[in-house]
Amino acid sequence: MESIGSLEEIILMILMKREKCHGVEIVEDYEGVLKKSISLPAIHVVLKRLTRKGLVKSQFGEPTSERGGRRKRIYWATPAGYEVIKELKEAKDELWNSITKPSFQYVGI
Amino acid sequence: MSGFDPPKWPADFLKKLLPLDTYEELMGDMDELFSLRVEEKGLKYARRRYIWDTVKALRLINASEVSRENTGFILFLSYIKTGIRFLWRTRNYSSINILGLAFGITAACLANLFITDQFSFDRFHSKIDRIYRLNIALNFSGQEEIFGGSSYRMGEEFPNKIPGIEATSRIKSGYGILKLGEQNLDQRFHFVDPEIFEILDFEWIRGNESHFGDPSKVVVSESFFKKIGEREELTLSLKDEEKRFTIVGIIKDFPINSTLSPRLLVPMEQWITTVHERRTTNWLDINMNLLVLKDENASVEAIDGQMTELASEGDEDFSEGEGRLYLHRFDKIHSATDIYTGNGLNPTISEELLWVISIVGILCLFISGLNYSNFSLGHFLIRSREVGVRKILGARPHFVWHQFFTETMISTILALMIAFVLVGILLPYFSEFVEIPYRYSDLFKGKFILGCLAIFLLATFLSGSYPSLILSRFKTVRVLKGSHKVGGKNIASRVFLTSQVGLAIFLIIGTITVNRQLNYLLDFDLGYSDERLISVDLPANSEDRLERFRILASGIPGVESISANSGYNGTSLSGDLAEKGRVRHIHVDENFVDQLQLEIIEGRNFDPALKTDKENSVLINQTLLNKIELEDPIGQTLPFSYGDLVDPTIVGIVRDYHFDAPKYDRSPLVIYLSPQYPYQEILIKMKPSFSGKDFSEIEKAWNEIFDPYPFSYDWIEDSNAAKMKAEIKIRDIAMIGSAISIMLVVFGLLSVLGTYIQQRMKEIVIRKINGSRTSDLLILFARRFSIWLGLGFLVGAWPAYYFLQEWLNDYATRVEMNLGIAVLALVVCGLVFIGTLLYQMIKISRVNPVIFLSDE
């Protein structure tokens, strides 16, 4: 199984939520959910890395006038990508469930 | 859309850096995001983020997933592939051509090795750019003669009186007898000033220069130290006076590319003890060399002027004779063979040889490049379709140009590899030939490699530029329509053919004439007999002992005759004829003329019985007679005076003979018996039946009379040959070089003609099918070729004649140019023509003519 970083994980999840989307939509979702700004190229780098790992596929779409006649590249997650996220999620859930809640340590008393 | 546009420059900037598809995607996303952000948070924010994204985008330069649109590299790979395929398809002709190119590059590389070595001559001294040797130019009746020499006095005065001179050191060769136990050895050495250690670079093995000032201390080289058995002291006999010296320093021997090779350095003070005092005060006693270290900022011209001025003040003769002193760069003296010098600073390689080697190297490279050009152009037809298709698919002219350059580069690289192997194989023979012991490590020196790189680029340029230019410029449509006469190709190949013929004719005529001339020089009439003649130097002030030696030696069975002479000296005529320039003169004994078998063409030889002959008679040579224009010269007086010999009577005319190196013009000569100049040389003629035993007897007689001077002798025949050594070298190099270049040029002619005829195969086949006989075809093509042959002959023969005439004029005795050689050159070219034609004809008769006809 491919190991992925947390930014890769989040972007993969956004992709899965949208099913098919391009870079701008990922930026919007990321900034909307995490309340943090991110640079577009950072997203592109991650997408390329995921492509190389075989977790994401992409294809050029049709040129649109709003982008000055440039084409969008549309990304979607592969089954392998889905599996990676699913396994990661289950592992995290298992860990989360084993944490004693609430513990005094964390509530700052 | 918001109506606000993002800044323009990030797009231009990123376009240059990013792979094309990454750029398209990213810029699209960025523009989209920009307009969204303008709506959400305003223009300023959007713009700031946009720029920030641009900076961040630099990460994407290497993060490419899809391969870049790197057309240049992909095209380059494709050029290499087609190039190799093409070479393989035409492997017969291309291997000839690549081999030819390899020969050319080999010759150029060897020349490069030789020349870089020559230019590194003496350059190992760290201050070489400031080191000079003093030269003196003296005016003899309108003719300036240059000597690489100076006087003791100059070395004494100049460093103190001229501010631009940092240091000077005199160098004077000395000669003494080295006593090694029982053995006596002739030993040459150098008298020097201590400043020499400041001027030149010495590597000390032991000791240093600080003790050198003491007259009894010497410095020796490592090899000399070994030769004397590693003794700390040595005994040297100078002018019959034995002196003991202590060795205070041992230096490493100088490398081979050094003019000076010091073995034993003795302080200058020792020289003063061996000579008369006036030799140290006379300004114009030119007998030693002066090395000058110039101050960094001083100008050479200023120093020249100051030196000349000081010398003129010191000696009136100097200023009257319009003499002048000047500095000669130290690293240039090794090739200045025309300047007379001595004192261990002799030129080693003549500039002429340097030139010949460079010219041969460049010529070979040039011819092989030209051959390759012809070859590529010849195969033009085969490639024109390919180029046409490439052009239709969008190749621009410079792409085609790149393609053919790349292909040429492949051939040159192959040729270079072959050439390196050849250089490796030939290096030992080459170094034996030029008498410089090159090592393989010399092939890895920076300058040599740099030179080879230049040769490689030049070869590629010579062989590739013209064909690729032609190929890239022709009209596409016409090729594809099947018309083969494109882009002035016919004119080009005719020009090439003509120039190739011209070059062949030039080279053949040149080589044969140069070789004839050099052979003639090496084997020509000296005007006297040097057979079985040996020369022995007579020790100074020993004329009284000479007679005793003469009596003893004449009794030895192998000795035919003995004579003595003063060597050839120079002066000018007196009286009205003083303007006529210099004459050489020699004091001889009565055996001299007979021994050398000089021919008396008028008058008589000296008669020892006549008292007047011994005192006041001279023989003169033809050249002098022509110069003074005397009619009926016998019995007349000659306006000549030397010592007590004043206005002597001419008793005979001697046929000219060569007492100098044969290249020089014959000089006017006066021969006399009158003892005006001491004898310095004994000539002994051996009988044809002499044996080694005779030499040991001569040596015995010598030791009995001239002890402690050891007996040493030279064969005159050998030293005459040695004087011609440079000429022999030049002849050999010219011969080898021109053999290679003739071979190359014939190769080229062959392949050009071959391809020319190949392109006319269809015509030939149709003619044959319609009933032409081979002989008809031969006549037809011979008629076409004869025009080019004639043109090529004019192009080649005229410059050959012109240059050779110039060159021959340098020589006093020379061969005449003759028409036979030109005809021979023409015949060789004609034979190559007919041979190629016949070969192609035979080829046609053996294959099915349909092959040539079914082309379209």
Side-chain angles (χ1 to χ4, degrees):
Chain A
M1 198 187 83
E2 290 283 353
S3 70
I4 56 175
S6 65
L7 186 58
E8 287 175 357
E9 186 187 354
I10 289 166
I11 287 173
L12 202 50
M13 281 167 86
I14 292 173
L15 268 186
M16 276 150 56
K17 170 194 149 203
R18 290 257 186 176
E19 292 197 344
K20 284 195 175 185
C21 68
H22 71 292
V24 175
E25 290 165 311
I26 296 174
V27 175
E28 282 178 331
D29 274 13
Y30 184 93
E31 293 187 346
V33 174
L34 293 177
K35 313 280 180 240
K36 275 199 287 190
S37 72
I38 187 165
S39 79
L40 194 58
I43 303 245
H44 282 273
V45 169
V46 170
L47 285 171
K48 291 220 151 72
R49 213 180 289 150
L50 289 169
T51 311
R52 213 177 302 136
K53 288 176 182 173
L55 308 179
V56 160
K57 279 198 165 166
S58 68
Q59 197 177 26
F60 269 121
E62 289 302 309
T64 56
S65 65
E66 60 179 317
R67 293 162 62 93
R70 298 191 183 95
R71 293 173 297 173
K72 299 178 179 174
R73 191 186 274 278
I74 307 291
Y75 294 88
W76 64 91
T78 62
Y82 180 81
E83 283 304 313
V84 168
I85 294 296
K86 193 172 155 238
E87 278 175 36
L88 210 55
K89 171 81 180 115
E90 281 165 8
K92 281 183 175 174
D93 279 350
E94 203 183 318
L95 278 173
W96 181 251
N97 291 333
S98 65
I99 297 169
T100 318
K101 289 167 279 191
S103 165
F104 294 116
Q105 219 177 322
Y106 306 120
V107 290
I109 298 172
Chain B
M1 286 296 285
S2 61
F4 295 109
D5 284 337
K8 285 268 179 292
W9 61 265
D12 299 336
F13 174 67
L14 290 177
K15 193 171 185 175
K16 290 199 179 80
L17 291 172
L18 296 183
L20 215 61
D21 55 342
T22 311
Y23 165 77
E24 185 178 356
E25 179 194 357
L26 180 76
M27 284 320 291
D29 282 4
M30 273 168 67
D31 285 2
E32 196 182 331
L33 209 53
F34 179 80
S35 42
L36 285 175
R37 279 172 181 157
V38 171
E39 275 167 24
E40 261 174 44
K41 296 196 174 177
L43 184 64
K44 253 189 186 163
Y45 174 78
R47 203 174 266 162
R48 202 170 68 231
R49 291 295 303 267
Y50 191 84
I51 292 168
W52 179 239
D53 282 355
T54 308
V55 175
K56 283 281 192 173
L58 296 177
R59 291 174 68 188
L60 287 165
I61 292 175
N62 280 323
S64 152
E65 171 64 19
V66 192
S67 92
R68 294 181 203 188
E69 277 200 29
N70 203 336
T71 47
F73 186 66
I74 295 167
L75 267 178
F76 180 68
L77 288 180
S78 127
Y79 295 158
I80 288 183
K81 201 187 270 174
T82 37
I84 289 173
R85 280 180 189 159
F86 175 69
L87 284 180
W88 184 245
R89 202 171 52 191
T90 58
R91 53 191 172 276
N92 293 331
Y93 274 121
S94 29
S95 52
I96 288 183
N97 272 282
I98 289 175
L99 212 60
L101 208 52
F103 286 146
I105 293 176
T106 309
C109 280
L110 288 176
N112 169 28
L113 179 66
F114 178 78
I115 288 161
T116 47
D117 182 68
Q118 287 303 311
F119 280 105
S120 68
F121 223 89
D122 286 327
R123 306 254 353 146
F124 62 93
H125 298 297
S126 55
K127 297 172 192 153
I128 188 69
D129 292 326
R130 297 194 282 135
I131 304 175
Y132 294 83
R133 192 261 315 269
L134 184 58
N135 278 4
I136 179 166
L138 292 176
N139 211 326
F140 292 108
S141 343
Q143 225 182 338
E144 193 170 65
E145 277 190 41
I146 295 173
F147 303 91
S150 61
S151 61
Y152 182 88
R153 183 78 186 267
M154 292 176 185
E156 201 71 10
E157 305 262 349
F158 289 162
N160 300 326
K161 295 200 174 156
I162 298 176
I165 293 178
E166 196 173 306
T168 64
S169 169
R170 289 165 284 221
I171 297 182
K172 163 83 186 160
S173 330
Y175 171 85
I177 294 159
L178 180 69
K179 298 214 185 286
L180 279 183
E182 294 299 297
Q183 257 186 312
N184 287 348
L185 292 175
D186 277 353
Q187 184 60 49
R188 290 193 184 280
F189 56 88
H190 295 111
F191 292 111
V192 294
D193 288 321
E195 284 81 9
I196 195 165
F197 299 108
E198 189 185 323
I199 299 172
L200 303 178
D201 287 13
F202 292 85
E203 229 181 293
W204 295 95
I205 290 174
R206 222 162 83 194
N208 56 50
E209 66 267 39
S210 54
H211 298 291
F212 188 71
D214 186 334
S216 65
K217 304 285 196 279
V218 293
V219 166
V220 299
S221 77
E222 193 181 8
S223 63
F224 182 80
F225 187 61
K226 288 205 176 107
K227 179 183 155 191
I228 58 170
E230 312 208 343
R231 294 159 213 246
E232 301 292 326
E233 292 195 331
L234 52 95
T235 308
L236 206 55
S237 155
L238 304 172
K239 292 250 168 166
D240 299 331
E241 194 186 329
E242 277 193 17
K243 287 182 174 162
R244 294 186 68 76
F245 293 97
T246 322
I247 294 172
V248 289
I250 300 169
I251 53 167
K252 257 210 156 76
D253 286 87
F254 276 12
I256 47 165
N257 53 359
S258 165
T259 307
L260 190 68
S261 39
R263 276 183 283 277
L264 172 57
L265 296 174
V266 177
M268 202 70 208
E269 281 82 354
Q270 287 294 344
W271 179 74
I272 302 170
T273 63
T274 64
V275 296
H276 194 278
E277 196 213 323
R278 67 158 193 274
R279 300 199 63 178
T280 62
T281 54
N282 190 335
W283 272 96
L284 284 186
D285 189 345
I286 308 296
N287 68 84
M288 54 179 68
N289 272 202
L290 188 67
L291 287 188
V292 175
L293 182 65
K294 178 180 79 82
D295 201 82
E296 245 162 274
N297 303 316
S299 105
V300 176
E301 289 76 26
I303 297 177
D304 289 352
Q306 285 165 318
M307 289 189 308
T308 308
E309 203 173 303
L310 278 174
S312 305
E313 281 166 21
D315 192 298
E316 279 176 17
D317 280 356
F318 187 74
S319 50
E320 274 172 24
E322 296 165 39
R324 116 192 120 81
L325 293 171
Y326 70 95
L327 298 178
H328 191 178
R329 277 189 70 118
F330 188 67
D331 56 346
K332 297 273 183 259
I333 60 181
H334 76 276
S335 62
T337 35
D338 51 337
I339 296 178
Y340 175 77
T341 177
N343 300 309
L345 287 177
N346 290 319
T348 47
I349 296 277
S350 78
E351 216 151 326
E352 219 171 357
L353 188 66
L354 219 75
W355 276 112
V356 168
I357 289 187
S358 331
I359 288 171
V360 165
I362 291 171
L363 195 69
C364 287
L365 192 64
F366 193 81
I367 297 169
S368 51
L370 200 72
N371 279 350
Y372 195 86
S373 276
N374 277 340
F375 161 73
S376 314
L377 272 184
H379 286 86
F380 181 70
L381 190 71
I382 304 172
R383 310 302 301 276
S384 58
R385 291 266 163 90
E386 178 198 333
V387 174
V389 171
R390 271 182 193 272
K391 283 195 166 182
I392 294 230
L393 290 177
R396 280 180 304 218
H398 74 264
F399 284 169
V400 181
W401 202 75
H402 286 171
Q403 179 190 355
F404 285 93
F405 236 95
T406 313
E407 283 185 14
T408 313
M409 195 98 84
I410 297 172
S411 306
T412 359
I413 287 172
L414 285 175
L416 195 68
M417 291 193 301
I418 300 171
F420 276 152
V421 174
L422 284 175
V423 168
I425 295 169
L426 292 176
L427 191 69
Y429 303 99
F430 182 69
S431 60
E432 194 178 318
F433 182 70
V434 295
E435 293 178 354
I436 297 170
Y438 292 119
R439 284 176 304 263
Y440 281 103
S441 61
D442 292 332
L443 297 182
F444 297 99
K445 284 189 179 153
K447 270 185 190 159
F448 173 73
I449 290 175
L450 224 61
C452 286
L453 203 68
I455 290 169
F456 169 69
L457 292 178
L458 190 65
T460 313
F461 181 75
L462 281 174
S463 26
S465 54
Y466 191 63
S468 26
L469 208 67
I470 292 278
L471 278 170
S472 62
R473 282 173 58 182
F474 70 74
K475 301 282 178 294
T476 319
V477 183
R478 281 203 264 161
V479 185
L480 293 174
K481 265 165 65 187
S483 161
H484 301 322
K485 293 186 175 167
V486 270
K489 176 209 116 222
N490 279 339
I491 296 167
S493 76
R494 271 173 201 163
V495 167
F496 268 100
L497 202 55
T498 311
S499 61
Q500 194 110 27
V501 173
L503 204 60
I505 285 176
F506 181 87
L507 284 173
I508 294 171
I509 296 178
T511 315
I512 295 176
T513 313
V514 168
N515 287 328
R516 270 183 64 213
Q517 167 67 17
L518 294 171
N519 272 328
Y520 176 71
L521 282 180
L522 297 177
D523 183 41
F524 80 129
D525 186 12
L526 280 169
Y528 69 94
S529 160
D530 59 358
E531 266 183 304
R532 307 188 305 278
L533 200 59
I534 63 171
S535 148
V536 186
D537 284 341
L538 189 65
N541 312 321
S542 52
E543 285 186 65
D544 47 332
R545 290 182 269 178
L546 174 65
E547 285 317 306
R548 277 165 51 215
F549 175 71
R550 209 194 278 265
I551 294 161
L552 259 182
S554 317
I556 296 165
V559 173
E560 191 175 298
S561 65
I562 296 170
S563 80
N565 67 69
S566 64
Y568 297 90
N569 299 289
T571 181
S572 46
L573 291 172
S574 56
D576 298 341
L577 292 171
E579 296 300 305
K580 293 267 181 187
R582 284 165 62 78
V583 289
R584 308 291 292 272
H585 60 98
I586 182 170
H587 165 214
V588 302
D589 64 8
E590 62 267 20
N591 296 336
F592 183 79
V593 173
D594 289 336
Q595 188 187 42
L596 293 186
Q597 296 171 16
L598 299 182
E599 191 187 334
I600 308 280
I601 51 176
E602 225 183 311
R604 60 177 174 82
N605 189 4
F606 297 119
D607 185 350
L610 293 174
K611 189 167 175 287
T612 51
D613 271 14
K614 284 201 163 162
E615 281 168 6
N616 210 33
S617 296
V618 293
L619 294 172
I620 63 173
N621 71 352
Q622 279 170 296
T623 308
L624 180 57
L625 179 64
N626 295 339
K627 214 165 197 176
I628 59 177
E629 294 161 356
L630 269 184
E631 275 182 41
D632 193 18
I634 306 301
Q636 303 223 33
T637 56
L638 180 72
F640 169 88
S641 79
Y642 192 83
D644 297 334
L645 184 69
V646 180
D647 291 344
T649 315
I650 301 170
V651 296
I653 311 293
V654 178
R655 190 163 77 90
D656 279 340
Y657 69 100
H658 286 276
F659 45 89
D660 276 327
K663 184 172 166 173
Y664 300 107
D665 245 320
R666 292 150 199 228
S667 312
L669 179 68
V670 180
I671 304 171
Y672 51 86
L673 291 182
S674 171
Q676 300 310 325
Y677 206 102
Y679 288 137
Q680 293 192 333
E681 181 191 43
I682 307 174
L683 293 174
I684 303 174
K685 178 124 182 163
M686 307 301 292
K687 284 183 181 155
S689 58
F690 76 93
S691 66
K693 189 164 159 274
D694 296 316
F695 281 99
S696 49
E697 281 191 47
I698 296 174
E699 188 170 1
K700 219 174 94 192
W702 178 275
N703 287 338
E704 201 166 302
I705 291 160
F706 293 111
D707 187 66
Y709 295 97
F711 176 68
S712 69
Y713 62 91
D714 291 313
W715 290 94
I716 300 279
E717 220 170 344
D718 291 349
S719 59
N720 277 336
K723 281 178 194 161
M724 296 300 293
K725 204 166 125 191
E727 261 75 18
I728 295 176
K729 268 281 108 104
I730 291 172
R731 180 193 65 176
D732 290 354
I733 288 180
M735 203 152 74
I736 294 169
S738 41
I740 294 173
S741 36
I742 288 177
M743 192 182 75
L744 288 175
V745 114
V746 169
F747 269 11
L749 209 53
L750 261 172
S751 65
V752 171
L753 271 174
T755 41
Y756 176 83
I757 294 172
Q758 244 172 9
Q759 287 168 22
R760 299 219 166 10
M761 278 309 208
K762 207 179 282 177
E763 179 193 339
I764 295 174
V765 168
I766 292 171
R767 282 177 190 276
K768 277 203 107 164
I769 288 172
N770 286 315
S772 280
R773 278 170 303 169
T774 308
S775 59
D776 295 338
L777 284 171
L778 268 180
I779 290 168
L780 182 80
F781 275 89
R783 217 185 299 146
R784 286 187 198 170
F785 288 153
S786 59
I787 300 168
W788 303 340
L789 205 57
L791 262 175
F793 181 74
L794 288 181
V795 168
W798 188 76
Y801 180 81
Y802 177 77
F803 285 120
L804 287 170
Q805 204 63 55
E806 287 280 292
W807 180 72
L808 285 174
N809 282 339
D810 268 9
Y811 290 85
T813 50
R814 52 179 174 252
V815 294
E816 290 306 313
M817 299 283 297
N818 88 42
L819 204 66
I821 299 170
V823 172
L824 179 77
L826 205 59
V827 167
V828 169
C829 291
L831 281 178
V832 173
F833 269 112
I834 293 172
T836 321
L837 202 57
L838 274 177
Y839 169 74
Q840 296 289 355
M841 294 288 175
I842 290 165
K843 221 168 108 181
I844 290 174
S845 62
R846 294 175 71 184
V847 296
N848 187 348
V850 174
I851 294 176
F852 296 104
L853 293 174
S854 67
D855 199 17
E856 274 162 38

